[in-house]
């Protein structure tokens, strides 16, 4: 690192010296049209005396001027044409300009890219992805249009991840038309009166049209691909619906709601229960169970609140029935009756996509202009020897239990596994959590997952991390999970087994395979930034496509999918994943938005860390919830927020202030300057901003202020 910094410094000094020499000695006077016209005869004479030497010197000067981004490239091009002629001039200028541009590109990359990429990582992420995918097209377009300063292109492209060899080749080809035009003009040097004679409005218009050609070509390719994929299917002369949505979970409901709100005719097809996994087997039942379990946890902590003891008499079956009552109470929000009133035609049954324009449901074929696939995901069940034929539960079926399991083994230490493991333990089950990675919640920072693990262990949940499940065995009526740890096998007995190893997209048995909709290597439906599949009128949103499998992100995607499906190509929007929050509802809660240290190191992003311990917060102390932390990552030296992780009571609620701040570009100074009610847990957000401010106080200025106050005291 030190060697690189030294080399950067030396290079900067060398560049500064060369630029200084150029302007100090007014070398630019040799790069004028008048001087070139006056010296043309002498230049031609020297070229004919020793052509190869003259070409070498010319190219060296051209390359140096271009690499240093000095003015005069146009004159150098004219000079090359005036001396070498059209054919030789085009070749010489083409290679000299491309080599010089590539050197400028490499200089910018060496001096600036690491610093710029680390400081503006959150903004440059989408740009980098775009350059990786379409960088050649972008560069080719810019090279064809001379109204874009080439030195700016060299410098800016050096900050991106485009490969050097691609940059060289595309620049060589992209600049060639312009080079030919300029060299041809230079070949007529004697008749030119000024440089404006080259850059006439007509010529600039021609260049502009030439420049948009790649974009038009890209659109044409997209149109051809779309036409090709749609060609086998006859388009109806009219449609029954503007939009058919398949799946009545969060993504499907929001898609249908938006379509109805803008007066489109929309049908929503759901094969099972409205509300999808979130209402029936996911968010709602799990939070209801967690709440009941927390009441028991509070009772166990009675002495902390000034009581000698507290006892709660309960039946496990009644707790599980309460979960069902909560679902029933929430159901009207997602009901057929409500959505019918909103203008959505709800159809119950199994949907089958027959063509991009036709969907069959219960023997009825309906036609539609566009389709949104929002079929969600299901629990991932591993190919574990002995599991097939053995009783086990997933997050879909665990709610059927009415008899409390004495010994529950949970496979998986992600958010679902952690939430349910703690809840069942608090309800009285002996819980063992098996996790293949070395720690639970492995996508969180190490100290964050350690806080949760410490609480789990303190409550009595057995954590077996770095244990890999190998098979299921049953002997004499007792079932075991056989797992491996450090090369040795271990048997873990259980009465009930809960598999919580993630979820897989529902992409089968409703026509996607036969139609040929493209899937990703992860098994989700592939979508472009507008949430289109490879069929231009079939869109996708929610867990079936990802990349985030949260109810709120499914609803977020649904807006883009429905608006794009209904109004494209007149208007369409790229889905925005810039600020995505989530929470794990174990105790303590873990909430996050944006970058954490684990991801920052993986992506090579520079950051500063500021923390505030919630154990010092007045309201947390009063609530006997004095534990946890607010951890904020910022751009080094600035208050710009890159990411926040909160561990503690109501973390999922506290994170909202940071989500809004990141969404609207507000920094920690704005949070610090906002009044927070006392005493509340939300004050933790202000205090962490205060910690950042203290770490960045202007010491030099404060020293002068201290002197000022001393002077005023006399």
């Amino acid at each position: 690192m030190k060697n690189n910094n030294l080399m950067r410094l030396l290079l900067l000094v060398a560049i500064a010296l060369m630029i200084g020499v150029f302007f100090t000695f007014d070398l630019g006077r040799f790069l004028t049209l008048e001087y070139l016209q006056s010296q043309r005869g002498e230049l031609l004479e020297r070229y004919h005396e020793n052509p190869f030497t003259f070409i070498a010197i010319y190219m060296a000067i051209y390359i140096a001027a271009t690499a240093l981004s000095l003015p005069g490239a146009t004159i150098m091009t004219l000079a090359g044409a005036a001396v070498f002629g059209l054919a030789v001039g085009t070749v010489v200028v083409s290679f000299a300009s491309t080599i010089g541009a590539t050197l400028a590109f490499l200089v910018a990359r060496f001096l600036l890219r690491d610093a710029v990429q680390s400081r503006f990582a959150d903004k440059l992420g989408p740009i980098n992805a775009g350059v990786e995918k379409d960088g050649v097209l972008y560069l080719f377009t810019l090279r064809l249009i001379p109204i874009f300063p080439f030195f700016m292109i060299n410098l800016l492209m050096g900050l991106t991840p485009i490969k050097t060899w691609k940059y060289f080749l595309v620049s060589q080809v992209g600049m060639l038309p312009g080079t030919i035009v300029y060299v041809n003009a230079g070949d007529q040097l004697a008749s030119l009166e000024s440089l404006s004679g080259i850059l006439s409005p007509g010529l600039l218009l021609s260049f502009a049209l030439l420049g948009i050609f790649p974009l038009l070509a890209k659109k044409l390719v997209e149109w051809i691909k779309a036409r090709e994929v749609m060609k086998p299917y006859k388009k109806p002369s009219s449609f029954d619906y503007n939009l058919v949505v398949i799946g009545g979970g969060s993504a499907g409901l929001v898609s249908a709601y938006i379509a109805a709100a803008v007066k489109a005719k929309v049908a929503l097809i759901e094969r099972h229960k409205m509300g999808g996994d979130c209402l029936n087997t996911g968010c709602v039942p799990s939070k209801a169970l967690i709440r009941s379990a927390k009441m028991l946890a509070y009772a166990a902590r009675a002495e902390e609140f000034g009581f000698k003891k507290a006892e709660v008499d309960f039946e496990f079956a009644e707790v599980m029935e309460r979960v069902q009552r909560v679902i029933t109470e929430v159901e009207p929000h997602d009901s057929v009756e409500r959505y019918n009133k909103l203008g959505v035609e709800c159809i119950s049954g199994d949907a089958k996509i027959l063509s991009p324009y036709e969907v069959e449901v219960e023997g009825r074929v309906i036609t539609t202009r566009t389709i949104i696939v929002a079929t969600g995901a299901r629990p991932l069940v591993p190919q574990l020897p002995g599991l097939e034929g053995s009783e086990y539960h997933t997050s879909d079926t665990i709610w059927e239990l009415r008899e409390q399991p004495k010994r529950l083994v949970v496979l998986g230490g992600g958010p679902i596994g952690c939430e349910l493991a703690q809840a069942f333990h608090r309800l009285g089950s002996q819980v063992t959590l098996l996790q293949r990675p070395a720690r639970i919640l492995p996508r969180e920072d190490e100290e964050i997952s350690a806080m949760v693990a410490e609480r789990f262990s303190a409550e009595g949940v057995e954590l077996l991390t770095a244990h890999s499940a190998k098979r299921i065995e049953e002997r004499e009526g007792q079932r075991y999970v056989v797992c491996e740890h450090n090369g040795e096998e271990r048997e873990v007995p259980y009465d009930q087994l809960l598999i919580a190893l993630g979820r897989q997209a529902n992409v089968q048995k409703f026509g996607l395979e036969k139609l040929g909709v493209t899937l990703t290597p992860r098994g989700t439906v592939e979508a472009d930034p507008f949430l289109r599949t490879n069929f231009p009128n079939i869109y996708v949103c929610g867990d079936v496509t990802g990349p985030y499998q949260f109810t709120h992100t499914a609803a977020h995607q649904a807006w883009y999918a429905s608006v794009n499906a209904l109004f494209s190509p007149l208007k369409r929007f790229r889905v925005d994943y810039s600020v995505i929050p989530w929470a794990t509802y174990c105790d303590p809660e873990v909430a996050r938005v944006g970058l954490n240290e684990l991801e920052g190191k993986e992506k090579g992003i520079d950051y500063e860390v500021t923390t505030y311990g919630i154990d010092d917060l007045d309201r947390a102390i009063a609530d006997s919830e004095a534990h946890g932390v607010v951890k904020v990552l910022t751009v080094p030296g600035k208050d710009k927020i890159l990411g926040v992780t909160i561990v503690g009571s109501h973390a999922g609620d506290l994170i909202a202030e940071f989500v809004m701040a990141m969404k609207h570009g507000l920094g920690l100074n704005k949070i610090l300057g906002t009044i927070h009610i006392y005493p509340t847990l939300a004050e933790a957000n202000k205090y962490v901003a205060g910690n950042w401010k203290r770490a960045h106080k202007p010491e030099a200025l404060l020293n002068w202020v201290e002197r000022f106050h001393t002077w005023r005291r006399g």
Side-chain angles (χ1 to χ4, degrees):
M1 181 63 73
K2 290 183 178 179
N3 290 337
N4 282 344
N5 289 337
L6 178 61
M7 290 178 65
R8 288 189 181 98
L9 179 61
L10 292 175
L11 182 58
L12 276 172
V13 171
I15 291 172
L17 285 173
M18 287 185 281
I19 294 175
V21 168
F22 180 85
F23 287 105
T24 301
F25 294 98
D26 192 22
L27 299 181
R29 71 182 185 274
F30 300 115
L31 299 175
T32 64
L33 183 61
E34 294 78 12
Y35 181 82
L36 178 57
Q37 287 175 324
S38 67
Q39 298 296 315
R40 187 188 183 202
E42 185 177 346
L43 292 173
L44 280 168
E45 184 178 338
R46 295 194 177 184
Y47 169 60
H48 289 303
E49 286 176 0
N50 199 332
F52 294 107
T53 302
F54 191 90
I55 289 174
I57 294 172
Y58 169 86
M59 289 187 69
I61 296 172
Y62 198 124
I63 290 168
T66 308
L68 294 171
S69 300
L70 294 173
T74 301
I75 296 298
M76 288 294 296
T77 302
L78 295 176
V83 175
F84 307 134
L86 180 60
V88 175
T90 298
V91 174
V92 171
V93 170
S94 178
F95 278 96
S97 60
T98 303
I99 294 170
T102 305
L103 286 176
F105 164 87
L106 291 173
V107 167
R109 172 163 290 184
F110 180 68
L111 292 178
L112 301 172
R113 185 175 69 167
D114 290 346
V116 172
Q117 287 285 349
S118 61
R119 176 151 295 195
F120 302 103
D122 55 330
K123 297 295 184 186
L124 292 175
I127 296 175
N128 290 337
V131 169
E132 289 279 7
K133 185 178 181 182
D134 295 314
V136 169
L137 176 69
Y138 296 155
L139 178 59
F140 188 52
T141 301
L142 292 172
R143 286 304 192 197
L144 282 173
I145 308 177
I147 58 175
F148 291 102
F150 279 5
F151 79 93
M152 288 296 296
I153 298 172
N154 299 334
L155 297 179
L156 293 176
M157 291 301 291
L159 306 179
T160 72
I162 190 171
K163 301 291 185 184
T164 304
W165 66 268
K166 284 185 180 179
Y167 187 83
F168 180 88
L169 290 177
V170 174
S171 296
Q172 182 86 47
V173 176
M175 290 193 292
L176 188 58
T179 299
I180 293 172
V181 171
Y182 276 89
V183 170
N184 181 63
D187 200 29
Q188 311 298 321
L189 183 64
S191 62
L192 282 177
E193 296 181 3
S194 70
L195 293 180
S196 63
I198 304 172
L199 297 178
S200 63
L203 184 59
L204 282 177
L205 178 61
S206 299
F207 270 124
L209 293 174
L210 185 63
I212 65 173
F213 172 75
L215 297 177
L216 294 176
K218 183 183 179 183
K219 296 294 183 184
L220 179 62
V221 169
E222 287 182 358
W223 180 81
I224 292 173
K225 285 183 177 178
R227 186 173 180 275
E228 201 63 30
V229 78
M230 302 291 277
K231 189 176 180 181
Y233 307 100
K234 183 179 179 181
K235 184 178 180 180
S237 57
S238 63
F239 299 94
D240 299 325
Y241 298 93
N242 297 98
L243 174 65
V244 167
V245 181
I246 302 175
S250 175
L253 291 171
V254 174
S255 296
Y257 175 89
I258 291 171
V262 296
K263 304 305 179 182
K265 188 175 182 184
V266 55
L268 173 64
I269 304 173
E270 170 55 49
R271 64 185 295 270
H272 188 42
K273 294 181 179 179
M274 293 282 282
D277 295 328
C278 181
L279 171 63
N280 298 290
T281 61
C283 310
V284 173
S286 65
K287 302 314 164 278
L289 184 70
I290 288 169
R291 183 62 176 172
S292 293
K294 192 157 192 173
M295 295 300 99
L296 291 174
Y298 276 132
R301 297 169 54 198
E303 291 184 8
E304 294 181 37
F305 298 96
F307 304 105
K308 290 185 178 180
K309 69 175 183 177
E311 295 181 358
V312 179
D313 186 20
F314 76 98
E315 293 289 338
F316 178 81
E318 293 178 4
V319 172
M320 298 302 282
E321 285 300 327
R322 174 189 173 267
V323 170
Q324 296 304 315
R325 289 197 302 274
V326 170
I327 294 172
T328 301
E329 193 169 340
V330 175
E331 269 180 341
H333 301 166
D334 299 339
S335 66
V336 169
E337 292 75 18
R338 180 183 179 226
Y339 274 80
N340 281 339
K341 289 179 182 178
L342 291 171
V344 178
E345 183 179 341
C346 299
I347 304 173
S348 178
D350 289 302
K352 188 176 182 64
I353 302 175
L354 302 178
S355 80
Y357 308 112
E358 297 173 308
V359 178
E360 181 183 3
V361 56
E362 299 300 304
R364 172 190 171 196
V365 176
I366 57 179
T367 59
T368 177
R369 187 174 186 85
T370 52
I371 298 171
I372 289 180
V373 176
T375 49
R378 64 189 184 279
L380 176 65
V381 178
Q383 297 294 319
L384 199 61
L387 183 62
E388 188 176 351
S390 177
E391 182 184 3
Y392 64 88
H393 288 283
T394 67
S395 57
D396 279 1
T397 63
I398 195 72
W399 314 109
E400 299 168 1
L401 284 177
R402 292 298 179 269
E403 183 178 341
Q404 182 172 7
K406 293 181 180 179
R407 291 175 297 184
L408 175 68
V409 168
V410 179
L411 286 186
I416 296 174
C418 285
E419 289 179 0
L420 294 179
Q422 186 181 42
F424 272 90
H425 175 78
R426 287 178 165 184
L427 288 167
S429 297
Q430 179 185 327
V431 176
T432 300
L433 191 154
L434 290 176
Q435 169 78 332
R436 178 179 293 175
R439 55 190 178 91
I440 59 174
L441 300 178
R443 294 308 303 166
E444 302 298 341
D445 287 337
E446 190 169 344
E447 78 276 16
I448 302 299
S449 62
M451 290 181 186
V452 178
E454 185 178 350
R455 172 65 70 86
F456 278 22
S457 297
E459 291 188 2
V461 177
E462 184 180 17
L463 296 178
L464 299 182
T465 56
H467 282 65
S468 179
K470 293 299 180 183
R471 61 188 180 277
I472 303 296
E473 291 186 357
E474 183 172 349
R475 298 190 302 273
E476 299 177 359
Q478 176 61 62
R479 289 171 289 185
Y480 303 87
V481 178
V482 180
C483 51
E484 183 180 326
H485 176 65
N486 291 335
E488 296 183 359
E489 287 194 347
R490 173 176 179 175
E491 294 183 344
V492 182
Y494 68 89
D495 299 312
Q496 294 288 352
L497 176 65
L498 171 62
I499 296 175
L501 296 172
R503 300 176 66 78
Q504 62 187 65
N506 292 321
V507 296
Q508 297 176 330
K509 299 181 180 179
F510 59 94
L512 292 186
E513 312 100 311
K514 188 174 181 180
L515 203 61
V517 171
T518 304
L519 303 182
T520 69
R522 297 181 294 113
T524 57
V525 177
E526 186 174 78
D528 69 5
F530 305 102
L531 295 176
R532 291 179 304 186
T533 67
N534 54 311
F535 284 81
N537 71 325
I538 300 181
Y539 291 75
V540 63
C541 57
D543 290 1
V544 72
T545 187
Y548 302 96
Q549 291 188 328
F550 307 120
T551 297
H552 48 281
T553 51
H556 176 71
Q557 287 179 317
W559 184 92
Y560 291 91
S562 57
V563 169
N564 289 339
L566 292 169
F567 295 103
S568 183
L570 301 177
K571 184 64 178 175
R572 60 182 185 177
F573 301 88
R574 292 175 180 268
V575 64
D576 179 14
Y577 295 124
S578 59
V579 182
I580 301 293
W582 63 87
T584 301
Y585 296 94
C586 50
D587 188 4
E589 284 184 13
V590 179
R592 179 151 72 92
V593 61
L595 199 71
N596 66 1
E597 286 199 81
L598 183 67
E599 291 181 349
K601 291 171 182 175
E602 288 176 351
K603 297 177 180 178
I605 297 173
D606 288 340
Y607 57 84
E608 286 185 9
V609 178
T610 304
T611 61
Y612 172 75
I614 296 177
D615 58 315
D616 198 40
L617 185 66
D618 291 359
R619 179 57 185 269
I621 294 170
D623 288 353
S624 290
E625 296 290 357
H627 55 82
V629 68
V630 181
K631 181 178 182 180
V632 182
L633 272 61
T634 52
V635 172
K638 296 185 178 181
D639 73 333
K640 181 178 176 59
I641 303 167
L642 295 175
V644 181
T645 302
I646 302 179
V647 181
S649 180
H650 295 285
D653 300 316
L654 297 179
I655 200 80
E657 185 171 17
F658 290 109
V659 177
M660 188 199 71
M662 290 181 66
K663 179 65 177 176
H664 298 287
L666 305 178
L668 290 178
N669 280 315
K670 295 294 185 182
I671 291 177
L672 182 61
T674 301
I675 297 174
H676 292 67
I677 297 172
Y678 177 88
T680 59
L681 295 175
E683 285 185 294
N685 297 345
K686 181 174 183 176
Y687 289 142
V688 75
N691 285 351
W692 178 89
K693 192 70 174 180
R694 278 190 292 276
H696 294 82
K697 60 185 177 182
E699 296 287 356
L701 177 62
L702 290 175
N703 288 336
W704 282 104
V705 172
E706 184 180 13
R707 292 182 184 183
F708 169 75
H709 289 308
T710 301
W711 171 76
R712 293 197 73 184
R713 292 197 303 269

